[in-house]
Amino acid sequence: MNTQELENNLRQFIGTEKLYRLTTRHLLTDGTMYLAEHAQCYWLMTAVASHLTSRIDDHFAVAKLSVTGTSAVLTLDDGNGRVLDQQHIEYTDFPMTSFQLYACWGGEFWVLMLCSEY
């Protein structure tokens, strides 16, 4: 699947019917599971999850991946531009040059979702 097909397919996700366990405290929606499987980027989901710890005192975070060549920077912010955490990723073959997803605290779990699923 090429990048354009992946982007087009991701647009179909506007909600979720099922949640998938990533860790004991993190869940994926239909859209983030589709992305993880089809872009082979479970590493991205676990990287985002690793930053969603008790030191994030908000119930919402935006995860932004910016790819340059074969490396990337993952940034989590509060949705208003205040950076909560950042990670340099030395190597990636992620198919898009940039990507953004949301993470929402549901009281017991963090739910990672596509922006269109919010």
Side-chain angles (χ1 to χ4, degrees):
M1 176 180 313
N2 67 37
T3 303
Q4 188 61 48
E5 289 174 319
L6 180 61
E7 289 174 351
N8 288 339
N9 291 344
L10 289 173
R11 287 189 192 104
Q12 73 178 319
F13 296 99
I14 55 171
T16 195
E17 293 182 9
K18 186 174 179 184
L19 295 172
Y20 306 86
R21 185 167 306 279
L22 179 65
T23 72
T24 57
R25 306 262 314 182
H26 303 89
L27 304 173
L28 301 177
T29 59
D30 291 332
T32 51
M33 179 61 101
Y34 181 91
L35 177 65
E37 289 177 344
H38 288 84
Q40 299 177 352
C41 66
Y42 283 98
W43 62 267
L44 175 58
M45 304 308 160
T46 56
V48 171
S50 73
H51 293 283
L52 297 170
T53 63
S54 59
R55 63 191 170 109
I56 303 287
D57 59 355
D58 204 344
H59 291 95
F60 180 81
V62 180
K64 300 174 184 175
L65 184 71
S66 299
V67 179
T68 304
T70 59
S71 64
V73 174
L74 176 63
T75 305
L76 270 72
D77 71 40
D78 65 356
N80 293 315
R82 183 174 66 95
V83 174
L84 304 171
D85 217 340
Q86 196 168 51
Q87 176 182 351
H88 175 75
I89 298 165
E90 191 172 324
Y91 175 79
T92 182
D93 59 357
F94 191 75
M96 295 177 252
T97 56
S98 64
F99 193 77
Q100 178 172 291
L101 59 88
Y102 293 157
C104 297
W105 176 249
E108 192 174 344
F109 303 103
W110 280 98
V111 179
L112 281 62
M113 65 187 71
L114 301 179
C115 299
S116 61
E117 293 177 300
Y118 183 70

